Amino acid sequence: MKKDKNNRLNDWEKKFVKEVKIEASNEFSYETDEGISINPLYTSEDLLNYEFNDVNSLPGEWPYTRGPKASMYTNRPWTIRQYAGFSTAEESNKFYRKNLEAGQMGLSVAFDLPTHRGYDSDDEIVMGDVGKAGVAIDSVEDMKILFDGIPLEKMSVSMTMNGAVLPVLAAFIVAGEEQGLDKKVLSGTIQNDILKEFMVRNTYIYPPEPSMRIVADIIEYTANEMPKFNSISISGYHMQEAGANNVQELAFTLADGMEYVRAAMSKGLAVDDFAPRLSFFFAIGTDFFMEIAKLRAARTLWARIMQDFGAKDEKSLTLRTHCQTSGVSLTEKDPYNNIVRTSYEALSAILGGTQSLHTNSFDEAIALPTEFSSRIARNTQLILQNETGVTNTVDPLAGSYFVEKLTEDMCSAAWKIIEEVEEMGGMTKAVAAGMPKLSIEESATKKQAKIDSGKRIVVGVNKFKNPKEPKIDVLVIDNEKVREDQIKKITILKEKRNNDLLREKLSIITEAAKNKKGNLLELCVEAIRARGTVGEVSKALEDAFGRHYATNLGVSGVYGKFFEKDDKFMAIQNKINNFEKENGRRPRVLIVKMGQDGHDRGAKIVATSFADLGFDIDMGPLFQSPKDVAKDAIENDVHAIGVSTLAAGHKTLVPELMKQLKALDKSNKIIVFVGGVIPEQDYQFLYDNEVSAIFGPGTSILDSAEKVIELISKK
């Protein structure tokens, strides 16, 4: 077909294409979770009149849609990272060194929940969480062990840390010093993205305003002292994991970035002095082309945003990103399917132009990854780099009518949300108002309802089920042993250090935090050198800032809309109504998270969907102890407690809850059910501790609700 000089279709072609589109539309129409219409056919006509994307731009050229560098993977492939950490620093160090020998190119450190929340391992409040979902780091001595034999002047280290970011980054700096290195040679990234913690992940410590000061102080310090280190990784990953659709993840992440730029500029820094060291972190789910378009759109929008901030340096204008395949797309049912899911997600990130990548292990919907599953995850990337040819050309999907149009659609939809945030006064104010959190929770509930209603197929879960589920090995952490080891190390540290000197350093931190003077990271480095612990430094800051406690917000009516006139949904409602007629009140359920795990997507979805079915729901605050939960259950006179668990603390926290309930509830009428990431071999342990029901990942909400109302009715 010949094109005219303006590269438009001629009249005959237009007529032909129009007829084909109409015919195809009659047979197929689709709208994504993001509200973007997907056409059955795309042509060059779809590439006209773009507002954001420049389809004629080149890689490494404004607005960087096709990649931040001209050569991309043809010169150097993306960095293979594996996010890992568990148990003690000694065990994690062994794991890291094995992975590096096997082809991994960068380290990404996962810290345990007590470290995230600024508690030392000897604190009674974290007894069930130590070493479970990451490595326990209590002091610089642990950090030195973590990187023993790993030359920090050569190795890029990424650390996912936000709440206790000051003492943890300070410990990394001092560990480098004690390897004999100037901090100027240290390379890597600290996440330092506190706004998304208030939205979704919840491993915050201090209120939003002082937390933003911490972010700015770190950007200032690293800009002046650590030129090779990325001061912030602006993260959308946890938003998608919490249920955000791709447009929400894109928009809120970039809006967070804008807020951090303003915070840094408020310190007197010129934008080009720090912006080249900003980096991003996105999730990559199973919607293959949408994820590719999201990364291309992110670069396009960020270039324009930074230009508006007055950036001139090309490095300030280019968005660089790390990506990680989805954790929430992994299923407990038929788990070997997860290898396929992760492989395609990884390919999607690569075709979208990521700079580094972590691939999740297939068993992470069940437990912490084993060495066997981690090797498969790492080799997935090695195969993509060395066997598929994806590194031979730059942005191979450029020029695809579909991908280019989808990129523009993503830009347009995300920009509308960004404008809404800006109208609210920026992301800090939007977060304080709860706008992002509520919109993400609504999206998460819709996604779950689509799966439960069969409107979305998940292979092996709601269709094409495996009649014979495979047994797989899981990594088990002896939490009590890890905690004992950490307490011994803390005791030795405190016996050897100069406690008077440390008290002086901690007092200076508290005063600086109160008076808004001095750089807090610089002061924390001094305290860590004096052998202060993560908990002690965090407490010195807490004495000035206070500790933040979130207010529970929730959506309603979203889940139920997907089940109008659904027989099973109505049958459960009838059972609940019958219970009310017989007992004079509705069945009341307390939904809780215990310990320091702040991932509350599952708990929130259960709460809102159970409420839509007719249960009376109480939502417990985050970070409760088993004793607190038992007390709330008795005071609120609930029929059942639903425990959501993700971070492997169920073998410690649930038995303690049962013990506390027995002490308070002499009638023994409250049933307890547990849901989340629980290895099947732990089921019997929980049943032996009188748990009434267990619902693993992928369980339909309707199935769990039906079981719960039956159990309550029998009591």
Side-chain angles (χ1 to χ4, degrees), residues 79-104:
T79 300
I80 298 173
R81 292 187 180 275
Q82 287 302 101
Y83 176 58
F86 58 91
S87 185
T88 60
E90 290 88 346
E91 290 301 313
S92 290
N93 176 262
K94 291 177 190 175
F95 188 79
Y96 292 161
R97 291 168 75 166
K98 280 184 182 178
N99 283 0
L100 293 172
E101 290 168 6
Q104 185 177 314

Side-chain angles (χ1 to χ4, degrees), residues 180-396:
L181 303 174
D182 189 300
K183 64 178 78 72
K184 286 182 169 56
V185 305
L186 298 176
S187 65
T189 303
I190 189 78
Q191 193 163 97
N192 192 28
D193 177 6
I194 200 64
L195 287 173
K196 72 99 169 59
E197 297 296 331
F198 293 114
M199 276 189 271
V200 290
R201 191 163 175 257
N202 299 312
T203 53
Y204 45 71
I205 301 176
Y206 317 110
E209 186 178 340
S211 294
M212 286 299 291
R213 178 192 168 185
I214 290 170
V215 171
D217 278 8
I218 289 171
I219 293 174
E220 179 186 45
Y221 183 94
T222 53
N224 295 329
E225 304 288 339
M226 303 173 72
K228 298 176 71 174
F229 199 82
N230 296 325
S231 56
I232 191 167
S233 175
I234 305 156
S235 175
Y237 182 85
H238 304 94
M239 297 180 200
Q240 189 180 124
E241 290 292 280
N245 62 47
N246 280 286
V247 167
Q248 290 172 332
E249 180 193 4
L250 174 59
F252 292 140
T253 303
L254 297 185
D256 279 352
M258 294 165 71
E259 199 79 338
Y260 295 135
V261 170
R262 293 188 186 105
M265 293 176 75
S266 74
K267 304 288 290 185
L269 293 171
V271 66
D272 284 325
D273 288 344
F274 65 88
R277 305 312 305 169
L278 302 179
S279 66
F280 287 79
F281 175 27
F282 287 103
I284 303 295
T286 54
D287 197 335
F288 188 78
F289 288 104
M290 188 68 75
E291 296 291 358
I292 294 167
K294 179 180 72 183
L295 297 186
R296 300 175 93 246
R299 290 190 293 270
T300 306
L301 291 176
W302 188 246
R304 296 174 186 275
I305 288 167
M306 293 309 293
Q307 188 179 62
D308 289 344
F309 276 114
K312 299 289 191 296
D313 188 335
E314 186 177 285
K315 291 180 179 178
S316 300
L317 300 168
T318 53
L319 179 145
R320 296 162 299 109
T321 189
H322 170 68
C323 289
Q324 180 173 337
T325 59
S326 175
V328 77
S329 72
L330 303 177
T331 64
E332 179 197 36
K333 300 295 183 184
D334 217 357
Y336 290 114
N337 289 340
N338 294 332
I339 298 172
V340 181
R341 292 185 179 100
T342 295
S343 298
Y344 282 113
E345 289 169 355
L347 180 59
S348 185
I350 293 158
L351 294 176
T354 189
Q355 279 62 70
S356 67
L357 179 62
H358 165 90
T359 34
N360 285 332
S361 301
F362 72 86
D363 51 358
E364 289 187 53
I366 302 165
L368 292 170
T370 63
E371 189 173 331
F372 170 74
S373 65
S374 296
R375 184 173 183 273
I376 293 173
R378 183 181 60 253
N379 285 353
T380 298
Q381 295 195 55
L382 291 172
I383 290 166
L384 286 167
Q385 279 191 0
N386 294 283
E387 298 185 23
T388 64
V390 294
T391 61
N392 294 338
T393 190
V394 180
D395 194 19

Side-chain angles (χ1 to χ4, degrees), residues 14 24 28 39 86 91 126 140 151 215 267 332 373 394 421 468 472 511 523 533 575 609 626 635 640:
K14 287 180 181 177
F28 174 80
N39 300 332
F86 58 91
E91 290 301 313
V126 298
V140 67
V215 171
K267 304 288 290 185
E332 179 197 36
S373 65
V394 180
V421 170
K468 189 176 181 181
I472 63 172
E511 286 306 308
L523 298 176
T533 66
K575 289 181 180 180
S609 54
E635 288 179 353

Side-chain angles (χ1 to χ4, degrees), residues 113-184:
L113 291 167
T115 306
H116 275 290
R117 296 269 293 145
Y119 295 112
D120 288 332
S121 298
D122 59 356
D123 196 311
E124 286 297 318
I125 200 171
V126 298
M127 60 183 298
D129 293 308
V130 177
K132 279 288 192 178
V135 59
I137 298 293
D138 291 310
S139 73
V140 67
E141 296 299 334
D142 287 329
M143 194 70 82
K144 287 167 66 178
I145 294 167
L146 188 67
F147 296 114
D148 182 43
I150 298 172
L152 292 178
E153 76 276 17
K154 297 178 182 178
M155 183 59 58
S156 171
V157 176
S158 173
M159 293 179 284
T160 300
M161 177 52 60
N162 302 283
V165 62
L166 286 171
V168 168
L169 180 53
F172 175 73
I173 291 168
V174 177
E177 287 177 358
E178 297 186 9
Q179 272 194 11
L181 303 174
D182 189 300
K183 64 178 78 72
K184 286 182 169 56

